[in-house]
Amino acid sequence: MARLPASPTQRIDPSRPIRFRYWGGEAEGVAGDTVASALYAAGVRVFSRSLKYHRPRGLYGLDGESANTFVAIDGVPNEAAETTLLRPGMAIAAQNVRGSPERDLYGILDRFDGLMPAGFYYRLFHRPARLWPFFQERLRAMAGVGVLQPSGSRERPGRFERYLNAEVAVVGGGPAGMAAALAAAEGGGRVCLFERRLHLGGHLDWRTRLVDGQPLHRRATELAARVAACPNIRVFTHAPVTGVWGENLVTGFLICPEGGIAREYHYECRARSVVVASGCTERPLVFEHNDRPGVMPATTAWRLAASYGVLPGRRAVFAGGDDSSLEAAIELAGYGVEVAAVADARAEGHDPELVAAIGEAGIRFLPGWTAGAARGTNRVTGVELRRIDGGRAEELRCDLLLANAGLQSLIGPLSTLKAQLGYCTRTGMFQPTRLPERAFVAGSMLGLRDVAAIEASGRLAGLEAAAAAGWDAESQIREARDAVRNAPGPAAGCFLACAPGIGRGAKAFVDFDEDGSYKNVVESAQQGFDVPELAKRFGGFGLGPGQYHVPGQNLAMIMAALAGTPLDQLSGTTVRPPLVPPRLATLAGPGLAVHKETPLHDAQAALGAIFRNAGAWHRARYFSTDLSCREEIRNVRANVGVLDSSPLGKFRIYGPDAQKALQRVYVSDMSKTKPGRCKYSAMCNDTGNLMDDGVVVEIGPGDYYFTTSSARAGATVEWFRYHTRHDGWEYQLVNLTDTLGSLNLAGPNARKVLAKITDADLSNAAFPYMGYREIVVGDGVPVRCLRLGFVGELSYELHAPSSYCGYLWDLIMAAGAEFGIRPFGLEAQSCLRAEKGHVIIGTESEQRVTLTDIGMGFLWDSKDTASKKVGAPALRHASGQTDRLKLVGLRIDQAERRPEDGDIVIDGTEVVGYLCTTRMSETLGWQYGLALITDRHAPEGGTVQIYSNPRGTPSVTHGTVVAPHFYDPEGARLRA
Amino acid sequence: MTFMLTCPICGRRELHEFLCGGQERGPRPPQEGLSAEAHFRYAQFRSIPPAPQPEWWYHGQGCGVWFKATRNPATNREERPGG
């Protein structure tokens, strides 16, 4: 279809055609088109089929008000055609269609609406219960919007996020929002202005009406230019706000232009004050068949002509309730649309200037009339106009029916802001009655229609917002108040709930997205769901993607009319975030894989390490493709291996009260620490669960060095300070985890390797098991050396400044070469320590078991009550209890299929516990398991059954309960 | 829901920088003769009156201090910030 002649309001460039595909065929739009405007220009009138009844649905709004215009683009479903810019080569398809949008096979469902009353999904086909899965499957196949293609694009559009700070945030870039931004910026503070459409200007953008001798669209351009020129206003267009939150956090998403940083990104703006100027939209008129393609708000047709140069139809009938419809009629007549009649639900109160202009244009004007029923199926072909009092009716032919029942305010941002809203009996709209701190409202959502009044209210709100953010603007505010007072006040609204004479079973839709009709509202009320918030959920009004836009105020007004509630007591539904639906990928954000690398990462990578995520770290788990790590394990047991244990938590605590703090959080008597000795202990929480274990070394008077498990390193400072927060103790706690790297040199030959690179005396007498020495290694690297035995062999933990760790690693590898040293990873370590019966917190412990249950009760100094040890009261309480889970060792019988970690332990049909860790051990020659089982089954020598069901074929294996120390139970090797 | 908190060291910051340590329930009770019920009442039980209440907060993404703030759960606002 050829576009209308160029005009100053147009937002397209007809000299730049854009080709795209629709429903298998080729079509053409122009630069500046949205998908919706291009499809409409190409003659598409039926855009989709409705959710329940498969009724044909066409273009309704141009701002994403309903799912009518949801399309699949390049295989991605549920894209809003009105807010997506046309791109070359797009493949566009209609949704919920069997056949074609115009001839839909399920269209017949429309005749069976009696089978689908309000809430039918919850009530019908459920008895007998076995029938429901059958019906559910079929109902779901017939209903719905787009279909997700699991094989489709895996593109992640949300690779960017933006966090903003401002003194004043303004929601809405119409005349009020722009005036507010300009006024707020006068104070010098930072202002952010968010507009959902592509351009600033709001409803002035397409209006040519002269005010003070200037067309309104030029006024919009002028304001937008001033905003753009203002250095402390940041403008975000095509950036819908999804919500305004506590203390004025504005969230939303920005749809980027082609070639932008992302397709769409999430933003958050923390503002001191916020101005909401989100404006108004036309309140849909509820009449018979008001969903037919060709029935739309007056603004939609007007904008199609003015902004996109598309002639929306040949012959239009208007049925409005606001002066904007009168203005639209005059404008559309000017664009070449034949206007058959302009009905207005209001009997009086029209703008006399517009009424005169309508008369001059020779248009029939019918005050006190409205639309009662639309004719036609795939296209509207005519309308039955009715008098409001129901007295008379008249049929008119048309292919465009522009209907509304006045305006409604877009209260979404106020709703999320938890402003109180009330129905205003003058403007006929929900309006704020109480606003939270530092939130202000301006513009047409206050019922203002006069452009000067709208700008004045915007200026006042902007100044007040800036003042609330700290700018002294008293005199300016006084002037602005006078300006508002002298401007025309709120205009009288339209109070029509729905067209006269409906409700006898005809389809008059309150909500398009969920096919919610007037009849369904009546049914909901009869079933007892008789207030809007209940009916919304039972009948499904406003649960679709358009949410509040279509059913919003109408649902409240119709339910009030049914119940006989006076208008001033009208209550609406809460508009919920996101106010405009963003992509899930946008909300998911960049999804950055953030992890830390140890100082030995590269050295290990060079040796073929396979890395896995472990908490905050990326750690070497294997050093070969043998995931059972046989060689790594054998080499530690028989020779010597080296492990990068850098993520180990490393801390220093010092000060006069440092020991008191240790006594509080550790279960042992920490006054018994000795210089040069590692004291092993554990931390519990208030319920006696094991939280952490490690060693503490006294390195000076009131000065201690201690280690924690890798997973707890991040929470240790918080833990110490929390449990001593009331005491006012004087101590300092320093996290050295990243400052110091750590290597664990383990195996019978460990001493020989270490002796080659240090002069320190490593003899058993000079440096015994559990000893701590500060030694010098190589060319003078200071190393804290801890002789521990987590893996069950002679071993030295070397803690050195991270920057020296690479040097230390090379030194050890060179010194160990003659013995055949090799690195080992986390998996080998886990097998080695499990053979030894050393627990890993969270693997062999959980919230149901205490320190005592896992056999570590010997660490607890139970006589100490003075230190108020964390966990002690719970340990005391649990010590006498029976029927608790206990940690045991299992010697598992040979079986064809070996039990795995997590398999359950059973006694007949009773579950008595589970396997925490189990491996086939080459060292032992049998499969061991560490299991948590009830104390009844815990005595050594008993047998238990292990139930495995990995791939749906169950098997049972037997095991014998043994002590959970399988390897070297006397610890001779540690002390060697 | 979101709000801001005033760290005594760093000033007003976004909620996501903090961890909540629960209601202020006073120092740990003396353990000599402490019944299990009294202990668990102290350690586990919370009441959330819809009125301003003192709470402990930890500035985990900042300076690492535990501090007391007064928050009203009914409005989710800090009362007397910094006071």
Side-chain angles (χ1 to χ4, degrees):
Chain A
M1 189 199 286
R3 300 292 168 112
L4 295 167
S7 79
T9 57
Q10 278 183 12
R11 294 292 191 177
I12 51 163
D13 179 1
S15 68
R16 287 162 53 208
I18 294 179
R19 299 198 65 77
F20 64 98
R21 297 179 62 76
Y22 177 71
W23 214 245
E26 292 274 331
E28 199 174 279
V30 298
D33 260 332
T34 64
V35 170
S37 68
L39 288 176
Y40 199 91
V44 175
R45 292 295 176 268
V46 181
F47 274 65
S48 68
R49 288 280 169 164
S50 68
L51 182 90
K52 279 198 297 195
Y53 306 130
H54 276 253
R55 286 167 70 92
R57 289 283 162 80
L59 185 64
Y60 182 74
L62 286 178
D63 293 307
E65 286 92 338
S66 77
N68 282 8
T69 32
F70 272 23
V71 289
I73 297 176
D74 297 331
V76 178
N78 302 335
E79 302 265 25
E82 317 97 283
T83 55
T84 306
L85 276 178
L86 189 68
R87 293 188 303 269
M90 271 180 165
I92 299 163
Q95 296 188 161
N96 202 26
V97 162
R98 305 291 178 282
S100 75
E102 304 261 338
R103 291 169 185 281
D104 178 83
L105 299 177
Y106 284 156
I108 188 114
L109 283 172
D110 195 23
R111 300 201 200 149
F112 296 98
D113 67 301
L115 291 176
M116 291 178 267
F120 79 97
Y121 193 77
Y122 309 125
R123 295 192 292 131
L124 303 184
F125 316 121
H126 281 273
R127 255 173 274 172
R130 69 192 145 80
L131 288 184
W132 175 240
F134 173 83
F135 282 107
Q136 188 188 37
E137 192 181 315
R138 269 141 199 87
L139 286 170
R140 286 188 174 175
M142 288 190 283
V145 273
V147 178
L148 196 65
Q149 306 290 343
S151 59
S153 162
R154 292 258 182 252
E155 181 203 6
R156 293 194 55 169
R159 290 218 178 88
F160 184 71
E161 294 175 328
R162 195 155 181 190
Y163 294 86
L164 304 154
N165 277 285
E167 269 63 52
V168 179
V170 181
V171 180
M178 290 194 283
L182 286 166
E186 284 172 23
R190 297 161 299 174
V191 178
C192 286
L193 174 61
F194 301 101
E195 166 57 43
R196 65 178 167 163
R197 292 188 189 131
L198 270 162
H199 309 282
L200 296 179
H203 58 91
L204 303 191
D205 191 55
W206 52 85
R207 292 169 71 179
T208 60
R209 191 177 184 184
L210 297 178
V211 171
D212 299 333
Q214 189 190 33
L216 286 175
H217 68 87
R218 198 157 299 150
R219 177 68 189 154
T221 323
E222 206 177 278
L223 281 169
R226 279 175 55 199
V227 166
C230 189
N232 52 335
I233 301 178
R234 278 174 291 178
V235 180
F236 301 87
T237 53
H238 220 189
V241 165
T242 51
V244 185
W245 309 90
E247 300 195 41
N248 300 332
L249 180 77
V250 180
T251 61
F253 60 97
L254 188 140
I255 305 161
C256 298
E258 189 75 356
I261 192 160
R263 269 181 75 183
E264 192 175 289
Y265 70 74
H266 173 79
Y267 65 78
E268 288 182 11
C269 176
R270 175 63 75 179
R272 193 73 188 137
S273 317
V274 67
V275 176
V276 176
S278 43
C280 286
T281 179
E282 289 175 45
R283 181 159 64 83
L285 179 64
V286 178
F287 60 103
E288 285 178 48
H289 304 299
N290 58 341
D291 62 328
R292 292 301 186 208
V295 180
M296 59 178 77
T299 315
T300 302
W302 187 358
R303 284 173 70 190
L304 279 174
S307 303
Y308 298 104
V310 178
L311 198 66
R314 299 277 164 210
R315 187 178 150 91
V317 171
F318 283 76
D322 184 82
D323 285 342
S324 63
S325 290
L326 308 185
E327 200 179 323
I330 298 159
E331 293 270 347
L332 280 173
Y335 284 113
V337 178
E338 181 196 342
V339 179
V342 175
D344 195 313
R346 300 168 301 166
E348 53 185 24
H350 314 99
D351 182 342
E353 202 180 297
L354 291 171
V355 174
I358 280 189
E360 273 166 41
I363 298 169
R364 210 173 141 211
F365 182 49
L366 299 164
W369 284 67
T370 192
R375 308 291 181 218
T377 305
N378 279 350
R379 306 267 191 288
V380 66
T381 55
V383 56
E384 185 193 304
L385 292 181
R386 293 179 192 157
R387 267 181 62 138
I388 288 293
D389 57 19
R392 279 169 56 203
E394 184 180 332
E395 288 279 340
L396 285 175
R397 269 185 317 101
C398 65
D399 64 353
L400 202 55
L401 176 51
L402 306 174
N404 68 55
L407 300 189
Q408 58 184 353
S409 46
L410 287 170
I411 57 169
L414 293 176
S415 193
T416 56
L417 197 51
K418 300 249 189 293
Q420 271 180 18
L421 297 159
Y423 184 78
C424 172
T425 49
R426 168 157 180 87
T427 61
M429 305 195 300
F430 281 117
Q431 283 180 212
T433 51
R434 214 184 68 198
L435 288 164
E437 262 182 282
R438 302 190 305 278
F440 304 88
V441 178
S444 63
M445 63 192 306
L446 293 174
L448 302 173
R449 295 289 170 267
D450 178 83
V451 175
I454 287 171
E455 281 185 39
S457 83
R459 179 171 169 74
L460 176 61
L463 291 169
E464 284 178 322
W471 178 40
D472 181 9
E474 208 178 308
S475 64
Q476 289 95 324
I477 289 176
R478 211 173 309 122
E479 276 171 42
R481 277 220 181 93
D482 287 342
V484 169
R485 211 168 295 132
N486 295 332
C494 175
F495 304 93
L496 187 67
C498 55
I502 68 156
R504 293 184 300 268
K507 281 172 180 144
F509 286 88
V510 178
D511 181 22
F512 301 145
D513 291 2
E514 309 255 320
D515 265 349
S517 63
Y518 178 84
K519 191 179 146 199
N520 295 146
V521 180
V522 176
E523 285 164 351
S524 295
Q526 283 167 350
Q527 298 276 332
F529 299 90
D530 55 356
V531 293
E533 287 286 15
L534 295 178
K536 172 180 171 180
R537 282 149 187 89
F538 183 70
F541 306 98
L543 298 180
Q547 217 195 150
Y548 186 84
H549 281 94
V550 170
Q553 201 175 308
N554 276 340
L555 180 64
M557 291 180 78
I558 291 171
M559 298 215 71
L562 289 173
T565 314
L567 275 179
D568 57 353
Q569 288 167 29
L570 207 63
S571 73
T573 49
T574 306
V575 193
R576 308 222 173 243
L579 301 173
V580 179
R583 290 160 197 281
L584 284 177
T586 303
L587 292 179
L592 298 173
V594 180
H595 59 258
K596 296 205 278 190
E597 288 180 358
T598 76
L600 296 170
H601 185 91
D602 295 343
Q604 294 180 97
L607 295 171
I610 299 168
F611 292 89
R612 293 281 183 271
N613 292 332
W617 298 85
H618 221 40
R619 297 189 66 178
R621 186 160 184 109
Y622 314 100
F623 277 90
S624 75
T625 49
D626 168 25
L627 302 190
S628 63
C629 304
R630 256 174 305 188
E631 278 310 310
E632 291 171 45
I633 293 169
R634 191 181 299 155
N635 201 52
V636 174
R637 288 277 180 249
N639 184 19
V640 60
V642 62
L643 172 86
D644 172 19
S645 55
S646 297
L648 189 80
K650 297 172 283 290
F651 294 86
R652 181 183 170 202
I653 185 170
Y654 62 98
D657 298 316
Q659 196 191 75
K660 289 184 191 159
L662 294 173
Q663 288 282 39
R664 171 65 51 80
V665 298
Y666 280 104
V667 295
S668 312
D669 182 358
M670 303 313 284
S671 66
K672 291 190 177 150
T673 53
K674 277 201 268 314
R677 285 287 294 173
C678 297
K679 181 166 179 62
Y680 175 69
S681 189
M683 299 187 206
C684 286
N685 63 9
D686 266 321
T687 36
N689 309 119
L690 178 63
M691 299 304 284
D692 196 11
D693 67 341
V695 297
V696 183
V697 185
E698 194 179 327
I699 51 174
D703 195 351
Y704 303 85
Y705 180 66
F706 67 94
T707 66
T708 72
S709 56
S710 308
R712 280 296 283 183
T716 298
V717 171
E718 175 198 336
W719 190 258
F720 269 73
R721 291 187 180 156
Y722 181 75
H723 289 292
T724 58
R725 68 197 187 282
H726 287 289
D727 300 285
W729 289 337
E730 223 175 290
Y731 67 85
Q732 300 297 324
L733 189 52
V734 189
N735 188 344
L736 299 169
T737 303
D738 295 353
T739 313
L740 300 175
S742 137
L743 291 86
N744 187 9
L745 184 64
N749 288 326
R751 183 180 287 116
K752 291 180 203 158
V753 175
L754 190 56
K756 286 180 69 181
I757 55 172
T758 180
D759 297 331
D761 185 355
L762 300 176
S763 68
N764 229 349
F767 190 176
Y769 175 60
M770 293 305 272
Y772 170 87
R773 298 289 180 272
E774 285 169 13
I775 62 174
V776 176
V777 172
D779 294 335
V781 177
V783 169
R784 296 158 189 250
C785 187
L786 296 76
R787 196 178 151 190
L788 303 170
F790 188 50
V791 298
E793 300 293 341
L794 166 69
S795 49
Y796 299 91
E797 244 178 50
L798 308 171
H799 300 185
S802 294
S803 53
Y804 289 136
C805 281
Y807 166 74
L808 203 55
W809 175 271
D810 292 342
L811 212 58
I812 288 171
M813 294 309 271
E818 63 174 284
F819 305 100
I821 194 171
R822 37 189 310 161
F824 64 104
L826 274 191
E827 173 62 24
Q829 179 192 238
S830 177
C831 298
L832 290 160
R833 64 88 205 171
E835 286 175 359
K836 177 68 187 158
H838 285 156
V839 304
I840 287 185
I841 296 153
T843 304
E844 280 84 30
S845 72
E846 51 140 287
Q847 66 231 20
R848 289 178 295 175
V849 299
T850 64
L851 185 76
T852 320
D853 294 331
I854 52 175
M856 290 168 68
F858 66 91
L859 290 172
W860 174 38
D861 179 12
S862 61
K863 287 182 287 299
D864 178 7
T865 50
S867 323
K868 301 184 190 172
K869 288 185 180 301
V870 180
L875 290 176
R876 215 166 280 135
H877 178 61
S879 58
Q881 289 179 339
T882 54
D883 207 18
R884 298 190 61 89
L885 289 173
K886 298 283 175 191
L887 184 70
V888 298
L890 292 180
R891 185 180 176 131
I892 297 165
D893 292 357
Q894 278 206 335
E896 205 169 304
R897 194 168 63 207
R898 297 206 176 101
E900 292 171 8
D901 294 2
D903 283 352
I904 55 174
V905 178
I906 56 171
D907 178 7
T909 55
E910 187 196 356
V911 176
V912 299
Y914 64 96
L915 269 178
C916 306
T917 304
T918 180
R919 293 285 185 279
M920 175 61 213
S921 165
E922 252 183 51
T923 317
L924 304 171
W926 44 272
Q927 182 173 5
Y928 66 84
L930 288 169
L932 284 169
I933 60 176
T934 58
D935 45 15
R936 280 175 292 127
H937 296 80
E940 281 174 37
T943 56
V944 293
Q945 299 139 287
I946 300 152
Y947 176 87
S948 316
N949 192 2
R951 277 159 289 276
T953 42
S955 66
V956 173
T957 317
H958 290 265
T960 311
V961 179
V962 296
H965 314 283
F966 314 110
Y967 178 72
D968 184 27
E970 306 79 29
R973 300 180 71 86
L974 305 173
R975 295 179 175 82
Chain B
M1 248 308 142
T2 175
F3 54 97
M4 298 187 81
L5 276 173
T6 312
C7 167
I9 294 171
C10 308
R12 263 171 73 80
R13 295 292 166 127
E14 295 283 341
L15 176 66
H16 63 72
E17 294 186 12
F18 299 91
L19 278 174
C20 186
Q23 255 172 349
E24 160 66 331
R25 285 156 293 146
R28 300 179 82 76
Q31 296 197 356
E32 204 61 61
L34 180 71
S35 73
E37 202 210 315
H39 164 70
F40 287 114
R41 195 161 281 285
Y42 171 79
Q44 308 289 345
F45 281 43
R46 308 279 191 276
S47 63
I48 308 180
Q53 56 161 338
E55 290 173 335
W56 284 96
W57 288 85
Y58 178 64
H59 197 190
Q61 304 292 311
C63 61
V65 71
W66 279 101
F67 61 96
K68 261 194 273 190
T70 307
R71 183 185 64 111
N72 185 347
T75 58
N76 244 342
R77 289 289 182 284
E78 187 185 6
E79 313 256 329
R80 302 182 299 278

